Amino acid sequence: MKFTGTADYVATPQLTMAVNAAITLQKPLLLKGEPGTGKTMLAEQLAAALGTELIQWHIKSTTRAQQGLYEYDAVSRLRDSQLGSDRVHDIRNYIVKGKLWQAFEADKPVVLLIDEIDKADIEFPNDLLLELDKMEFFVYETQERVVARQRPIVLITSNNEKELPDAFLRRCFFHYIDFPDRHTMQQIVDVHFGALKPELVQTALDVFFDLRTVPGLKKKPTTSELIDWLKLLLADDIGLDALQNKQGTQAIPPLHGALIKNEQDVMLLEKLAFMSRRRS
């Protein structure tokens, strides 16, 4: 199986090489990069390109590794025993399969996405070492061993909120998705909007990349926010003049709420606009 990108996803040669290397080595692909650089979307497009199922496990701060394997629903079994249900005699009725179990029992290799692994407790990655390495785990309640029928293609994303353990990193193929350069961003915009007015796109990209270089900006706008902003510009029929006008209050981009996501950055841009007006 080889990934070469899709019509809906712009993958750089470095990214496609990383995906195919992880598939060849049969190791999880650990993806890092700024939020909004397409880490999660890559899993969706990879599954589509390979014609297979995507199983997504979105990690939260409260997520435990055991939940990815299975959970034993003791509460339901207690309730059924009180009601005199026949189900209570088979403990398998109360084993809830997790995302890894679902991936392991698939008849053909699926894409398993473990999304934002750094949100969980620091021990979370270590608790999955054996399962991801050996592709098997033991169910203590039923005394059975679950072994993957077909080895899934595992993608793991991280936003670098926590450092991941060395033992876990050794078992992964790592790739950092760089923020798209101007040419790549143009390709991404073309994928989403097709034949858009070239002057509008170029001016919007100028504004976007200028914003990202503003010193002291707390949160730089990302690719997904650029796409949202362009959608709003089109929906509200914002003209080229509004983007090019950098005088007065228009020094801040129109509909900037799609790009700037906290009040400190808005105040910073207002201050820079005020200082620019005074100099002029």
Side-chain angles (χ1 to χ4, degrees):
M1 292 183 291
K2 291 289 183 182
F3 177 65
T4 57
T6 70
D8 298 323
Y9 187 87
V10 178
T12 63
Q14 295 82 3
L15 180 56
T16 56
M17 180 185 67
V19 171
N20 291 320
I23 293 174
T24 301
L25 293 173
Q26 294 189 326
K27 290 192 172 192
L29 174 60
L30 175 60
L31 294 168
K32 291 188 178 182
E34 285 187 39
T37 48
K39 300 187 293 296
T40 302
M41 187 179 292
L42 173 62
E44 300 170 1
Q45 295 301 316
L46 176 59
L50 299 180
T52 191
E53 181 186 359
L54 170 64
I55 296 177
Q56 303 185 59
W57 186 15
H58 299 290
I59 307 303
K60 301 178 182 179
S61 60
T62 56
T63 304
R64 295 177 292 106
Q66 181 64 33
Q67 293 172 313
L69 308 179
Y70 70 93
E71 291 186 277
Y72 169 50
D73 191 353
V75 175
S76 292
R77 193 181 191 197
L78 175 61
R79 184 182 63 246
D80 286 348
S81 67
Q82 293 170 339
L83 296 174
S85 173
D86 289 337
R87 296 180 73 251
V88 75
H89 300 298
D90 188 353
I91 197 171
R92 288 179 176 81
N93 292 324
Y94 306 96
I95 300 295
V96 181
K97 297 177 181 179
K99 300 297 185 180
L100 265 72
W101 193 333
Q102 295 172 31
F104 285 6
E105 70 177 5
D107 292 326
K108 66 176 184 177
V110 301
V111 175
L112 172 63
L113 171 65
I114 304 177
D115 200 22
E116 298 188 332
I117 194 172
D118 52 326
K119 281 188 175 179
D121 183 83
I122 189 63
E123 292 302 322
F124 179 91
N126 280 336
D127 291 341
L128 290 176
L129 288 180
L130 178 63
E131 290 76 12
L132 291 177
D133 194 24
K134 302 296 184 183
M135 287 290 153
E136 63 179 51
F137 62 89
F138 191 72
V139 183
Y140 293 96
E141 287 79 4
T142 61
Q143 295 295 295
E144 63 179 313
R145 186 173 300 278
V146 177
V147 181
R149 297 177 186 173
Q150 301 287 339
R151 192 178 189 95
I153 301 167
V154 182
L155 269 64
I156 303 171
T157 70
S158 169
N159 288 327
N160 253 349
E161 292 182 12
K162 293 190 186 81
E163 288 294 327
L164 299 175
D166 289 343
F168 179 80
L169 295 175
R170 283 198 302 271
R171 288 166 170 81
C172 298
F173 188 91
F174 171 76
H175 181 72
Y176 185 88
I177 300 181
D178 290 317
F179 193 83
D181 59 19
R182 177 87 180 217
H183 175 70
T184 305
M185 191 65 79
Q186 176 74 64
Q187 291 179 302
I188 293 171
V189 170
D190 290 343
V191 164
H192 282 83
F193 296 100
L196 200 59
K197 299 176 183 177
E199 298 88 357
L200 178 66
V201 172
Q202 293 305 314
T203 304
L205 287 177
D206 287 341
V207 173
F208 174 76
F209 280 103
D210 284 348
L211 272 178
R212 285 185 55 85
T213 60
V214 171
L217 203 65
K218 187 175 180 180
K219 182 190 179 303
K220 297 179 180 180
T222 65
T223 307
S224 59
E225 289 159 347
L226 170 64
I227 300 303
D228 288 343
W229 186 51
L230 284 171
K231 287 179 182 177
L232 289 175
L233 294 180
L234 291 174
D236 286 13
D237 197 23
I238 301 295
L240 197 61
D241 291 343
L243 294 180
Q244 291 175 331
N245 183 3
K246 295 187 178 181
Q247 301 299 319
T249 57
Q250 296 303 314
I252 300 179
L255 300 168
H256 62 268
L259 297 172
I260 307 301
K261 297 302 177 73
N262 62 66
E263 64 277 12
Q264 294 98 322
D265 287 345
V266 173
M267 292 173 64
L268 172 63
L269 293 178
E270 289 174 345
K271 181 179 179 181
L272 293 174
F274 175 74
M275 293 173 64
S276 177
R277 290 197 301 271
R278 289 195 63 181
R279 284 195 298 267
S280 61

